Amino acid sequence: MALDTSFLLIGELAAKANTTKDTVRHYEQLGLLRSRKRQAGSRLYTEFHPECVERIELIKSAQAIGFTLTEIKNSLNDYYDGQLDIDLQLMLTQQKLEQVRKQQANISVMVELLSERIDVLARMKADSNYQLDTNICKKKIPSS
């Protein structure tokens, strides 16, 4: 019986996908990657379909724009099973964009507050008689 050489062992997959074996194992454990087991003598090997390289690239791309592995799982499997609901994906992506915009607004406020704190500390260092304006301390980050 000839060996199917199109399937990849974990090290080969990790190298082709420019990731680590631990990442591949983690994705497999979460159900993001599909594999099969192959007996070779007394050893049991896990093999991955070459499509897993593309799957890992898609996972990394989705993570880079803020999606969690849990959020990615259903969409990815639906895509490969030909069951992708475009309307649902559009809604989820719009929700993610809104979430990121809120985070961006919070970060902008944090940058402003940190800048003000640096100014206050620099004044305090330069002038030992400097009186802190407590109104600066009362500013809050908007709730999400």
Side-chain angles (χ1 to χ4, degrees), residues 6-132:
S6 66
F7 278 75
L8 306 169
L9 294 175
I10 191 169
E12 296 169 308
L13 174 59
K16 286 186 180 215
N18 197 27
T19 193
T20 65
K21 290 192 273 186
D22 287 339
T23 298
V24 172
R25 284 186 195 100
H26 184 62
Y27 289 172
E28 180 190 21
Q29 184 180 35
L30 293 175
L32 292 162
L33 300 177
R34 296 177 182 158
S35 64
R36 69 179 188 184
K37 304 295 182 195
R38 176 176 58 91
Q39 185 80 32
S42 62
R43 294 209 45 167
L44 186 64
Y45 291 92
T46 301
E47 297 179 317
F48 297 88
H49 192 279
E51 130 190 315
C52 288
V53 174
E54 180 183 303
R55 288 176 76 100
I56 291 171
E57 290 168 353
L58 288 172
I59 292 165
K60 297 279 187 187
S61 294
Q63 282 183 301
I65 59 173
F67 287 95
T68 67
L69 292 175
T70 303
E71 292 169 330
I72 295 166
K73 180 181 176 182
N74 292 333
S75 300
L76 188 66
N77 289 334
D78 287 349
Y79 172 77
Y80 279 99
D81 293 340
Q83 303 295 320
L84 188 66
D85 181 338
I86 300 298
D87 290 329
L88 175 62
Q89 292 306 307
L90 183 58
M91 181 192 69
L92 293 173
T93 304
Q94 288 169 333
Q95 287 175 351
K96 183 58 68 176
L97 179 59
E98 186 57 35
Q99 179 185 8
V100 170
R101 284 185 174 147
K102 286 179 183 176
Q103 290 172 333
Q104 185 179 34
N106 287 343
I107 289 170
S108 294
V109 170
M110 290 172 63
V111 166
E112 181 184 336
L113 292 173
L114 288 167
S115 296
E116 288 175 6
R117 180 174 172 84
I118 289 170
D119 290 344
V120 166
L121 292 170
R123 285 188 207 132
M124 289 173 76
K125 182 178 179 182
D127 179 4
S128 60
N129 295 323
Y130 177 77
Q131 294 295 314
L132 179 63

